[in-house]
């Protein structure tokens, strides 16, 4: 009885660790593929504003 | 399942972790990138709000619009962010990620992730301090991503 409850607790702990490991592997892969900030919003806003400036200030 | 089998499974699971990897370096780098993306979006949204206001009051491509936007703190912030701060954070992240990968390949290798991520984290912390009224929810993400910084490490141009 005691052994089976210990096994259940260990099994749950392993499941938790597996989830954490999977999440960590995902973060790592994402960062290796592209470590940069996604600057699309800032670039698009800057383009919109610059295009609205008088021609001599663009 | 027998405890011995579970213990072996646990050991096997831990063995799959890269050498010297506790995960803190990847989690922190990712948090910095996420907070940086949120900062970019927040500054863009704030600048576009001023753009809409100035465009409504003056016509686009007029001196009036240009004068109106020249008074926009959000537009000034977005320009500074794109020109200096964002590239600095990106360079820091690229260097740190490369160093983490090298450390993983070296047996017993361990990267000093706090030192490696300090320049990027300090850039974000500086952005938060300078533009906190324009960052909205991004300010909270920055606070979480940079909570480990010791203020002294941000001094001296880092």
């Amino acid at each position: 009885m005691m052994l089976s409850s210990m096994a259940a607790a260990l099994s749950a702990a392993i499941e938790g660790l597996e989830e954490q490991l999977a999440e960590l592997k995902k973060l790592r892969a994402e960062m290796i593929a592209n470590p940069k900030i996604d600057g699309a919003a800032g670039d698009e806003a800057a383009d919109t504003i610059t295009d609205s400036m008088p021609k001599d200030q663009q | 399942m027998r405890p011995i089998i579970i213990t072996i499974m646990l050991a096997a699971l831990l063995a799959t972790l890269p050498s010297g990897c506790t995960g803190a370096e990847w989690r922190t780098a990712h948090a910095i990138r996420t907070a940086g993306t949120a900062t970019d979006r927040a500054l863009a949204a704030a600048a576009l709000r001023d753009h809409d206001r100035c465009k409504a009051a003056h016509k686009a491509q007029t001196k009036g619009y240009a004068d109106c936007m020249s008074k926009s703190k959000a537009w000034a912030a977005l320009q500074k962010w794109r020109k200096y701060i964002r590239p600095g954070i990106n360079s820091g992240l690229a260097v740190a990620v490369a160093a983490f990968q090298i450390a993983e390949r070296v047996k017993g290798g361990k990267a000093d992730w706090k030192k490696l991520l300090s320049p990027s984290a300090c850039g974000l912390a500086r952005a938060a301090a300078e533009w906190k009224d324009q960052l909205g929810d991004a300010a909270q993400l920055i606070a979480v991503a940079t909570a480990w910084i010791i203020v002294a490490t941000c001094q001296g141009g880092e």
Side-chain angles (χ1 to χ4, degrees):
Chain A
M1 186 67 182
M2 203 174 124
L3 271 179
S4 67
S5 55
M6 195 198 280
L10 273 170
S11 181
I14 287 174
E15 210 171 291
L17 273 174
E18 275 176 342
E19 275 171 26
Q20 281 185 35
L21 183 62
E23 186 219 347
L24 181 60
K25 281 183 174 174
K26 191 174 161 242
L27 293 184
R28 182 180 172 277
E30 270 181 39
M31 289 307 293
I32 290 169
N34 182 14
K36 290 182 178 179
I37 289 167
D38 177 0
D43 292 347
E44 203 178 307
D47 287 347
T48 301
I49 294 167
T50 303
D51 288 346
S52 301
M53 289 290 178
K55 293 284 178 205
D56 61 337
Q57 288 187 39
Q58 286 183 14
Chain B
M1 205 183 294
R2 284 173 174 272
I4 185 69
I5 295 171
I6 294 172
T7 307
I8 291 167
M9 279 173 65
L10 189 61
L13 185 69
L14 291 173
T16 65
L17 284 170
S19 167
C21 172
T22 61
E25 67 273 56
W26 293 109
R27 288 182 204 286
T28 308
H30 192 268
I32 289 172
R33 192 185 69 164
T34 302
T37 298
T39 299
D40 192 87
R41 288 177 184 161
L43 292 177
L48 285 175
R49 278 195 295 275
D50 285 350
H51 159 76
D52 289 341
R53 185 175 50 77
C54 291
K55 206 174 154 188
H58 313 272
K59 237 179 128 189
Q61 298 184 333
T62 61
K63 188 178 178 299
Y65 173 85
D67 289 346
C68 180
M69 284 306 289
S70 73
K71 293 180 193 113
S72 164
K73 283 181 185 173
W75 175 226
L78 181 63
Q79 289 179 95
K80 190 175 172 185
W81 164 255
R82 290 179 68 243
K83 195 169 182 183
Y84 303 108
I85 301 177
R86 193 179 74 189
I89 294 169
N90 282 338
S91 298
L93 284 175
V95 168
V97 164
F100 297 162
Q101 287 180 273
I102 291 167
E104 284 176 359
R105 288 187 200 120
V106 178
K107 197 180 176 188
K110 199 175 175 187
D112 185 349
W113 67 265
K114 287 188 178 178
K115 194 174 179 186
L116 285 162
L117 288 173
S118 279
S120 297
C122 289
L124 263 186
R126 208 168 284 137
E130 200 169 338
W131 305 313
K132 65 179 170 195
D133 53 334
Q134 292 165 54
L135 292 180
D137 292 345
Q140 188 58 36
L141 290 174
I142 293 174
V144 171
T146 61
W148 53 274
I149 293 179
I150 298 161
V151 176
T153 50
C154 288
Q155 291 167 351
E158 268 193 5

